[in-house]
Amino acid sequence: MKKTSTRLADGRELIYYDSRDDTVRDAVDRRPLDRTVTTSEVRRDALLGDAVAVASHRQGRTYHPPAGECPLCPSEGDRLSEIPDSSYDVAVFENRFPSLAGDSGRCEVVCFTSDHDASFADLTEEQAGLVLEAWTDRTAELSHLPSVEQVFCFENRGAEIGVTLGHPHGQIYAYPFTTPRTALMLRSLAAHKEATGGENLFDAVLAKELAGERVVLETEHWVAFVPYSAHWPYEVHLYPRRRVPDLLGLDEGARTEFPQVYLELLRRFDRIFGEGEPATPYISAWHQAPFGTLEEFDGVVREDFALHLELFTIRRTSGKLKFLAGSESGMNVFINDVPPETAAQRLREVASS
């Protein structure tokens, strides 16, 4: 992998990740851009103890542009985009309309491929491996920023999810705090460790799933399963067999095998609802240990956390979506219409030949 860092016309960082070491990236951003002005502010909720990012400048962000004006496609002639070069393998840049910025963290866009009409599932294993290298490198780099406590790599796919740019891409949020979801995991981890005299909760969950009926696929280095208490109609958790706290901890075997496993999961998601159905909308989210102190979670250290990916769709059946209504949005109590065992069986049935 070759990494090339440069700057866009307004000063934001752009990084190319190339599979060839002899690739030259010297294209200049020719757009007449002013410096980006952001109003991001993190506010704490005194009752719930969580945080809300207030970012009013995002009201003016790009919204469903025509394909010929996509800001994530390579620049060509007089059509100038966020990527000055005429081609790229993987590109990462600071979001022009970030939810988090400055002392409130950082937001980046990850372009998986220059092919506007592709999806992650269309990538080759080599391309998917390069994305993994980019995620890992950005996790390492962002963890050194003084304002960053947790790095979150994710992809939103599909208009139903709220995606406003059709080009295949994901995002990275570098939070200045430990996210509420992670904090809940860490509290459960601490409580289980104390109650069992030191047993790791992630290890216990993985062992139980391996012995059960919800495993979707397993390989030498990875296990994918539908969790016992899945929140979403079709939800898969992907764990490396060897527990590591973040992407940096994956060994060579797990890195080599990941593209094959992940691409297979994505392709199965696109076959869940049968031939002729639109592409399945999904969210894919990496859960990594925070880089800040864990003192508030008694007895827990970073190495206790288990890196894992959660992949889920809001589509519950053909033509129908799972909406977060009163119980989910008002009380954070999910109601799932698809039994996890049924979802796991269906995901096994649609295995590719």
Side-chain angles (χ1 to χ4, degrees):
M1 179 194 76
K2 181 180 180 181
K3 174 184 174 183
T4 306
S5 179
T6 184
R7 292 284 171 179
L8 296 172
D10 55 7
R12 289 175 294 129
E13 186 177 17
L14 165 67
I15 307 144
Y16 294 100
Y17 293 90
D18 289 290
S19 56
R20 289 175 57 99
D21 290 336
D22 59 353
T23 304
V24 176
R25 298 295 184 188
D26 55 7
V28 176
D29 185 3
R30 295 180 283 124
R31 296 173 298 171
L33 298 180
D34 295 327
R35 287 275 174 174
T36 302
V37 177
T38 62
T39 58
S40 179
E41 175 190 2
V42 174
R43 298 186 180 183
R44 293 282 179 178
D45 187 310
L47 293 178
L48 297 179
D50 59 10
V52 175
V54 179
S56 59
H57 62 278
R58 284 175 52 80
Q59 287 281 33
R61 66 188 184 272
T62 308
Y63 187 80
H64 292 297
E69 299 175 16
C70 174
L72 307 185
C73 286
S75 293
E76 182 178 355
D78 294 331
R79 186 184 62 77
L80 306 178
S81 73
E82 293 280 59
I83 317 294
D85 216 323
S86 60
S87 67
Y88 64 85
D89 291 345
V90 175
V92 179
F93 61 86
E94 288 184 74
N95 198 322
R96 191 176 178 186
F97 303 97
S99 302
L100 307 164
D103 292 340
S104 296
R106 175 158 155 154
C107 292
E108 298 182 341
V109 177
V110 183
C111 300
F112 302 139
T113 171
S114 59
D115 185 352
H116 180 85
D117 297 318
S119 68
F120 201 117
D122 296 322
L123 300 183
T124 65
E125 290 185 17
E126 181 183 13
Q127 289 174 307
L130 187 59
V131 175
L132 176 62
E133 292 303 312
W135 283 331
T136 304
D137 181 73
R138 297 316 301 150
T139 296
E141 293 292 327
L142 293 170
S143 70
H144 295 308
L145 297 180
S147 62
V148 172
E149 188 166 311
Q150 186 172 1
V151 178
F152 176 47
C153 307
F154 65 100
E155 180 193 2
N156 300 326
R157 204 276 286 268
E160 300 94 328
I161 298 293
V163 175
T164 57
L165 295 176
H167 195 103
H169 72 287
Q171 299 181 67
I172 301 175
Y173 277 19
Y175 297 101
F177 51 79
T178 297
T179 62
R181 183 80 178 275
T182 304
L184 285 173
M185 293 185 198
L186 291 169
R187 292 190 189 100
S188 297
L189 189 61
H192 185 84
K193 190 174 185 178
E194 181 179 6
T196 60
E199 182 182 63
N200 184 279
L201 179 58
F202 287 110
D203 293 350
V205 167
L206 183 56
K208 185 174 182 179
E209 293 293 355
L210 278 168
E213 59 182 314
R214 289 177 297 274
V215 173
V216 174
L217 64 87
E218 55 179 308
T219 63
E220 180 181 355
H221 298 281
W222 294 91
V223 178
F225 59 89
V226 177
Y228 170 75
S229 55
H231 289 54
W232 300 95
Y234 290 90
E235 174 182 339
V236 173
H237 292 191
L238 177 62
Y239 278 67
R241 288 184 184 269
R242 184 178 69 88
R243 173 166 42 90
V244 294
D246 51 41
L247 290 166
L248 283 72
L250 292 175
D251 59 26
E252 190 60 32
R255 291 185 181 282
T256 300
E257 203 175 68
F258 171 78
Q260 174 188 352
V261 174
Y262 186 50
L263 290 172
E264 173 63 19
L265 283 177
L266 293 181
R267 290 162 185 168
R268 290 192 192 190
F269 257 59
D270 274 341
R271 292 193 294 268
I272 294 173
F273 303 104
E275 296 293 331
E277 286 290 321
T280 301
Y282 66 73
I283 293 175
S284 176
W286 280 110
H287 290 264
Q288 305 191 79
F291 287 95
T293 177
L294 300 181
E295 291 179 358
E296 63 180 292
F297 308 103
D298 294 339
V300 171
V301 295
R302 285 195 82 245
E303 289 68 28
D304 290 333
F305 194 88
L307 166 77
H308 62 283
L309 182 143
E310 296 184 8
L311 174 67
F312 59 90
T313 179
I314 62 172
R315 187 178 292 164
R316 55 188 175 88
T317 189
S318 180
K320 297 180 181 178
L321 301 180
K322 165 63 179 177
F323 291 101
L324 300 189
S327 185
E328 293 88 355
S329 295
M331 283 295 168
N332 200 27
V333 177
F334 276 67
I335 300 169
N336 190 352
D337 300 321
V338 180
E341 294 73 23
T342 302
Q345 180 179 350
R346 178 59 182 156
L347 285 164
R348 289 192 297 268
E349 289 173 350
V350 296
S352 61
S353 58

